[in-house]
Amino acid sequence: MSEPWFDQDFWDDNFGDFDQEDLDEILVEAVTDIEDLLAGLLLDDLDLIAKNAHKIVSTCGNFGYLQCAELAAHVEQKAKTRDLSEEDKNRLIGMVERVVADLKK
């Protein structure tokens, strides 16, 4: 994955004209979705991982976290085929924890 960690232009295109109240609501929902994914990853629940990884593809992609969106799509497919490695799980856990920290700032 060669894309930058965070694409500010992508964020600005999607959310640059939002007022703070609407943006706060979107961010709270996004953090909740990401935390749900983390719960599935930590519980090793492949169905929950696939479901929530799908949400994260859109969420992270729309926010400009393109690497995270790409990895979440990969994990979603691997979870659906029951072929998810510990390495992929751990990479996604680290990446979504970083996204949550960024979004909570």
Side-chain angles (χ1 to χ4, degrees):
M1 288 181 246
S2 60
E3 300 99 278
W5 164 250
F6 175 72
D7 187 325
Q8 183 68 49
D9 291 334
F10 211 85
W11 171 272
D12 292 342
D13 287 346
N14 288 323
F15 301 102
D17 59 350
F18 278 59
D19 66 33
Q20 192 60 48
E21 183 178 331
D22 289 339
L23 189 55
D24 288 344
E25 185 177 320
I26 291 167
L27 291 173
V28 166
E29 185 176 328
V31 169
T32 299
D33 287 345
I34 292 169
E35 289 172 343
D36 288 345
L37 173 60
L38 279 171
L41 288 163
L42 295 172
L43 292 171
D44 205 26
D45 181 331
L46 294 176
D47 293 328
L48 190 59
I49 292 168
K51 174 186 168 192
N52 289 315
H54 182 78
K55 290 182 192 178
I56 300 312
V57 171
S58 298
T59 299
C60 288
N62 287 335
F63 285 174
Y65 293 99
L66 305 179
Q67 286 180 340
C68 189
E70 183 179 329
L71 181 56
H74 172 77
V75 166
E76 175 189 5
Q77 292 308 309
K78 290 295 189 175
K80 286 180 178 179
T81 61
R82 306 292 196 232
D83 188 31
L84 182 59
S85 72
E86 285 299 311
E87 179 183 349
D88 284 340
K89 279 178 41 182
N90 290 332
R91 284 180 48 223
L92 187 56
I93 288 169
M95 198 169 284
V96 295
E97 286 176 342
R98 187 173 167 192
V99 169
V100 167
D102 276 4
L103 293 176
K104 286 184 175 182
K105 287 183 187 176

